[in-house]
């Protein structure tokens, strides 16, 4: 039996295809988390794996209101549109989002 974290369980529930099969590569499953030797070989490859992927889906955890607002703000910035909210609150929302665990992984930096 494979034990997974609550976060991974939630991600798999949200990401599973309802109509079509979906193939997912999950680093927490594909890399033996109990084998430090394997992790030390695989983790340095993660940046390349993600960079060469055709599509990457990242699970940042259950949705939070600030996360939705932050992603909207980041989208506006990417499209070079003026923020509807702007200012300090938009910056705070983005900072909260970027403090989630995934952004601290070595291959994300």
């Amino acid at each position: 039996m494979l034990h997974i974290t609550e976060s991974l369980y939630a991600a798999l529930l949200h990401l599973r295809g309802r109509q079509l099969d979906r193939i997912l590569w999950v680093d927490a499953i594909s890399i033996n988390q109990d084998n430090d030797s394997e992790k030390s070989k695989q983790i340095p490859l993660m940046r390349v794996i993600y960079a060469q992927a055709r599509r990457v889906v990242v699970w940042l955890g259950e949705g939070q209101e600030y996360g939705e607002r932050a992603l909207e703000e980041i989208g506006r910035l990417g499209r070079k549109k003026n923020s509807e909210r702007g200012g300090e609150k938009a910056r705070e929302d983005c900072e909260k989002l970027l403090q989630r665990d995934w952004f601290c992984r070595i291959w994300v930096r």
Side-chain angles (χ1 to χ4, degrees):
M1 179 185 292
L2 177 66
H3 294 279
I4 61 173
T5 64
E6 287 183 38
S7 178
L8 177 54
Y9 180 76
L12 292 173
L13 285 178
H14 282 82
L15 296 173
R16 71 179 178 183
R18 302 259 188 237
Q19 303 293 331
L20 301 171
D21 289 338
R22 177 181 243 181
I23 298 171
L24 298 172
W25 181 82
V26 179
D27 57 32
I29 293 174
S30 299
I31 299 172
N32 184 347
Q33 301 299 304
D34 297 325
N35 185 325
D36 290 339
S37 175
E38 181 178 341
K39 288 194 311 188
S40 70
K41 293 174 186 168
Q42 296 298 320
I43 288 175
L45 301 174
M46 297 297 291
R47 186 183 311 255
V48 174
I49 290 169
Y50 281 108
Q52 293 180 354
R54 190 168 33 136
R55 183 173 180 197
V56 175
V57 177
V58 176
W59 178 256
L60 298 176
E62 294 289 344
Q64 301 288 330
E65 188 176 326
Y66 71 83
E68 296 294 325
R69 291 190 309 254
L71 290 172
E72 289 171 12
E73 183 67 19
I74 291 168
R76 276 191 289 276
L77 291 170
R79 292 184 302 277
K80 297 183 179 179
K81 292 184 177 180
N82 289 334
S83 174
E84 294 170 8
R85 295 178 312 114
E88 188 67 21
K89 184 63 177 158
R91 187 185 62 75
E92 288 173 12
D93 289 342
C94 290
E95 284 181 1
K96 283 182 190 176
L97 179 70
L98 295 173
Q99 289 172 1
R100 292 205 176 185
D101 291 343
W102 187 81
F103 292 103
C104 296
R105 292 181 176 178
I106 194 166
W107 58 86
V108 175
R109 296 185 212 152

